Amino acid sequence: METAEQYLQEKAGMVNDRLAQYVESWNDIPKQLKESVAYSLLAGGKRLRPVLVLATAESLGTEAERALPFACALEMIHTYSLIHDDLPAMDDDDYRRGRLTNHKVYGEAMAILAGDALLTKAFGLMAEGALAIGLPGDTALKLIAEASRRAGAEGMVGGQVDDILHENQSVTLETLQSIHRRKTGDLITFSVRLGGMVAGANEIQLEKLTRFAEGLGLAFQIQDDILDVIGDREKLGKETGSDEARNKATYPSLLGLSASKEHLRKTIEEAKSWIEGETWLNTHTLLGLADFLTTRDR
Amino acid sequence: METAEQYLQEKAGMVNDRLAQYVESWNDIPKQLKESVAYSLLAGGKRLRPVLVLATAESLGTEAERALPFACALEMIHTYSLIHDDLPAMDDDDYRRGRLTNHKVYGEAMAILAGDALLTKAFGLMAEGALAIGLPGDTALKLIAEASRRAGAEGMVGGQVDDILHENQSVTLETLQSIHRRKTGDLITFSVRLGGMVAGANEIQLEKLTRFAEGLGLAFQIQDDILDVIGDREKLGKETGSDEARNKATYPSLLGLSASKEHLRKTIEEAKSWIEGETWLNTHTLLGLADFLTTRDR
């Protein structure tokens, strides 16, 4: 049987190919904008969110191909958020995944517009994808409405706002969790829900998948914080110790390293328990991904 | 019979009220983000785009109320584009409609995120609006896909990219028109098409409405350029002569003032001819708006 790492690589390849096709066939747009978009969108990365979309759809018996436009749309939303977060007015980062950030290469104006273009395109892609695969209109519209909430002021954008507002402040664990839940958690949760919706999951199934995904998103963030303390710069492709240098609240800074690791372990076990043994779901892939992603060293 | 100016005022009031309700009921978002969004979204303005949505829907016999969520979504897209265009990395404007620009009040990070939040919300609002009024799924999804193209890299965002790339360069009339067509024209054209789609217009009707709207958008832009030369600062609520000061290509700078006025007159007459005498449409309001908007002094 395929390992989670193999699955992740295989499906990330599928996502990369399709994203490259979308960029290639994105005609009638300014050349420089296309370059700026391609630079960030085709930069690789784990493709965690789109792979979760595909994995969930497949685990419910739907071909990954059907869910691919939606998976790519989510990756576009994720990429736009990274481009905007890296801007001088925000986190002011020069490097991302070991390469110069978008605005360092194309300038701030183009980086802002590349982000705007990707966010706008993502919604069009979801609508076109729904039409192409004949997803029921109501399901498609609910899915788009939820994408808007999860990625918007109630979710990811709101989380980034609160993250910026709390910079250099001491925060409670509750505030930290609230920020993470929205800034990164909402999109991860939505990835799993999206895969479920495309595959026609019912409300009870979606609810269980949601709990699983919420735990996974939280665990992923704790792992990220831990890696920033103990990770290997070479493997991660980014500087470690950056959270501490920025005086940023993290799980290790609030709980200590050892309690953070314990919290991670418990979180992931609880997450998995929401889908373990469910007969409507082929749980092998999702459980494997959950273990792999939260024991990763990069 | 109501004058175009009265109609514009009445419907702008309807849009303002609904936008205020949306902001008011936008819960679970950071307080500062809500303030920043409200500052720009509820700042008034002509509400040209949403009024065109409502006017087109009404002219086809559909209640304005049904089209209101879509009209408000378009105004959110327009507002986000203004917030981002005003940023220091873009046009670097301190004032808009006689008030400080968003980033001058709330800072660059919040302005970027307020724009992102509005763009994201707009798509959610279209999806929710379609569900609420029971718009056929296919129509709703096509409408969202078109919104993405018109507002995105192929349309408004692409136009802004080319506008920035051609700053301080001498451009041909063709390039100037291509920039305007995308930067402002596409959203104006879409306003009319959106009203038509919500009202169930057929393809032939939509085609005629599209030609009308394309001419109207172009005329509106020529008028804008002319007003920047001869307009009254008090009435416009912004500085005049700003295009010349920025060395920006405009119709008057390329054609001269008198030829620009003639071009405006011809453009609006041709636009009107696309709908004049059409029996499926109550043309009074749209023709009145076309005349009023292109003879305006503000």
Side-chain angles (χ1 to χ4, degrees):
Chain A
M1 230 170 183
E2 210 173 22
T3 67
E5 188 167 14
Q6 286 165 339
Y7 185 88
L8 197 53
Q9 272 179 14
E10 179 200 317
K11 287 296 186 289
M14 198 170 166
V15 169
N16 288 337
D17 290 348
R18 182 61 69 95
L19 287 173
Q21 279 175 34
Y22 283 136
V23 172
E24 173 68 29
S25 63
W26 205 356
N27 295 318
D28 300 322
I29 79 171
K31 189 170 158 287
Q32 291 90 336
L33 179 62
K34 193 166 177 163
E35 280 176 25
S36 166
V37 161
Y39 179 82
S40 292
L41 187 64
L42 309 181
K46 284 181 290 287
R47 307 301 193 191
L48 168 66
R49 291 154 194 80
V51 171
L52 282 173
V53 176
L54 303 182
T56 308
E58 280 200 328
S59 303
L60 280 152
T62 289
E63 275 183 37
E65 180 71 23
R66 269 176 76 82
L68 201 47
F70 304 95
C72 290
L74 265 203
E75 189 66 9
M76 288 181 186
I77 293 178
H78 176 56
T79 302
Y80 119 75
S81 77
L82 299 181
I83 297 174
H84 280 191
D85 283 3
D86 287 338
L87 287 167
M90 305 259 242
D91 294 350
D92 195 13
D93 274 315
D94 291 352
Y95 291 92
R96 159 82 59 187
R97 294 172 184 163
R99 304 160 78 217
L100 285 169
T101 44
N102 195 293
H103 66 271
K104 296 299 283 185
V105 179
Y106 298 96
E108 277 183 61
M110 195 63 80
I112 294 168
L113 290 164
D116 293 346
L118 279 167
L119 173 59
T120 310
K121 176 76 172 175
F123 284 99
L125 196 52
M126 286 188 267
E128 283 166 10
L131 285 166
I133 68 166
L135 200 66
D138 272 24
T139 305
L141 293 170
K142 280 181 195 162
L143 183 157
I144 289 169
E146 181 168 340
S148 166
R149 287 192 303 274
R150 298 265 184 192
E154 304 92 328
M156 188 179 72
V157 169
Q160 173 68 2
V161 166
D162 273 337
D163 196 17
I164 286 176
L165 292 175
H166 288 92
E167 231 169 42
N168 295 313
Q169 286 182 25
S170 63
V171 299
T172 61
L173 187 62
E174 200 188 343
T175 303
L176 182 68
Q177 286 192 339
S178 160
I179 291 172
H180 284 331
R181 182 177 48 72
R182 289 171 291 149
K183 186 175 169 172
T184 58
D186 266 319
L187 218 55
I188 290 175
T189 300
F190 184 58
S191 303
V192 171
R193 286 179 56 83
L194 182 53
M197 285 188 262
V198 171
N202 65 35
E203 282 305 318
I204 294 171
Q205 294 166 345
L206 276 180
E207 183 60 29
K208 288 178 180 171
L209 286 168
T210 303
R211 298 299 185 95
F212 163 73
E214 284 171 354
L216 179 62
L218 175 58
F220 192 77
Q221 186 60 51
I222 301 172
Q223 175 79 349
D224 226 39
D225 283 1
I226 292 174
L227 283 177
D228 195 72
V229 179
I230 63 166
D232 181 321
R233 184 184 166 285
E234 287 297 317
K235 284 187 181 168
L236 287 167
K238 66 179 177 184
E239 295 296 333
T240 55
S242 65
D243 291 336
E244 198 184 350
R246 282 183 194 182
N247 206 10
K248 212 165 170 170
T250 64
Y251 283 89
S253 75
L254 286 173
L255 296 179
L257 190 56
S258 142
S260 297
K261 286 180 177 175
E262 179 61 15
H263 191 50
L264 168 63
R265 196 188 60 73
K266 278 187 183 159
T267 302
I268 202 64
E269 286 313 315
E270 197 196 318
K272 285 161 62 182
S273 75
W274 281 99
I275 58 167
E276 270 163 344
E278 296 292 335
T279 52
W280 46 272
L281 189 72
N282 183 344
T283 59
H284 172 76
T285 306
L286 288 177
L287 292 177
L289 284 174
D291 280 331
F292 177 71
L293 289 169
T294 52
T295 53
R296 69 200 158 94
D297 59 2
R298 68 189 74 189
Chain B
M1 229 169 183
E2 210 172 23
T3 68
E5 187 166 15
Q6 286 166 340
Y7 186 88
L8 197 54
Q9 273 181 11
E10 178 201 317
K11 288 296 185 292
M14 198 171 165
V15 169
N16 288 338
D17 289 349
R18 182 61 69 93
L19 286 173
Q21 278 176 34
Y22 284 136
V23 172
E24 172 68 28
S25 62
W26 206 356
N27 295 318
D28 301 322
I29 79 172
K31 189 169 157 284
Q32 292 88 336
L33 180 61
K34 193 166 177 162
E35 279 176 24
S36 167
V37 161
Y39 179 81
S40 291
L41 188 64
L42 309 181
K46 282 181 290 289
R47 306 302 193 192
L48 168 67
R49 291 153 195 81
V51 171
L52 281 174
V53 176
L54 303 182
T56 309
E58 280 199 330
S59 303
L60 279 151
T62 290
E63 274 182 38
E65 180 71 23
R66 268 176 76 81
L68 201 47
F70 304 94
C72 289
L74 266 203
E75 189 66 9
M76 287 181 187
I77 293 178
H78 176 56
T79 301
Y80 118 76
S81 76
L82 299 181
I83 297 174
H84 280 192
D85 284 3
D86 287 338
L87 287 166
M90 306 260 244
D91 294 349
D92 194 15
D93 275 314
D94 291 353
Y95 290 91
R96 159 82 60 189
R97 294 172 185 163
R99 304 160 77 218
L100 285 170
T101 45
N102 195 293
H103 66 271
K104 295 300 283 184
V105 179
Y106 298 96
E108 275 184 61
M110 195 62 82
I112 294 168
L113 290 163
D116 293 345
L118 279 167
L119 173 59
T120 309
K121 177 75 173 177
F123 284 99
L125 196 52
M126 285 188 267
E128 283 165 11
L131 286 165
I133 68 165
L135 200 65
D138 273 25
T139 305
L141 293 169
K142 282 180 195 164
L143 182 156
I144 289 169
E146 181 168 340
S148 166
R149 286 193 304 275
R150 299 263 184 193
E154 304 92 328
M156 188 179 72
V157 170
Q160 172 68 1
V161 166
D162 274 337
D163 196 18
I164 286 176
L165 292 175
H166 288 93
E167 231 170 44
N168 294 315
Q169 285 181 26
S170 64
V171 299
T172 60
L173 188 63
E174 201 187 342
T175 303
L176 180 69
Q177 286 191 340
S178 160
I179 291 172
H180 284 331
R181 182 179 48 72
R182 289 172 290 149
K183 186 175 169 175
T184 57
D186 266 319
L187 219 56
I188 291 175
T189 300
F190 185 58
S191 302
V192 171
R193 284 180 57 83
L194 182 52
M197 286 188 264
V198 172
N202 66 33
E203 282 305 317
I204 295 172
Q205 293 166 346
L206 276 180
E207 183 60 29
K208 288 178 180 173
L209 286 168
T210 302
R211 299 299 185 93
F212 164 73
E214 284 171 354
L216 178 63
L218 175 58
F220 192 77
Q221 187 59 53
I222 302 173
Q223 175 80 350
D224 226 38
D225 283 1
I226 292 174
L227 283 178
D228 194 71
V229 180
I230 63 166
D232 181 321
R233 186 184 164 285
E234 287 297 316
K235 284 186 180 169
L236 287 166
K238 65 179 178 186
E239 294 296 332
T240 55
S242 64
D243 292 335
E244 198 185 350
R246 280 179 193 185
N247 205 11
K248 217 169 166 167
T250 64
Y251 283 90
S253 74
L254 287 173
L255 297 179
L257 190 58
S258 144
S260 296
K261 285 181 177 173
E262 179 60 15
H263 192 50
L264 168 63
R265 196 188 60 73
K266 279 186 184 159
T267 302
I268 201 63
E269 285 313 314
E270 197 195 318
K272 286 162 60 184
S273 75
W274 281 99
I275 57 168
E276 270 163 343
E278 296 292 335
T279 52
W280 47 272
L281 189 72
N282 183 345
T283 58
H284 172 75
T285 306
L286 289 177
L287 293 176
L289 284 173
D291 280 330
F292 177 71
L293 289 169
T294 51
T295 52
R296 69 199 158 94
D297 59 3
R298 68 187 77 191

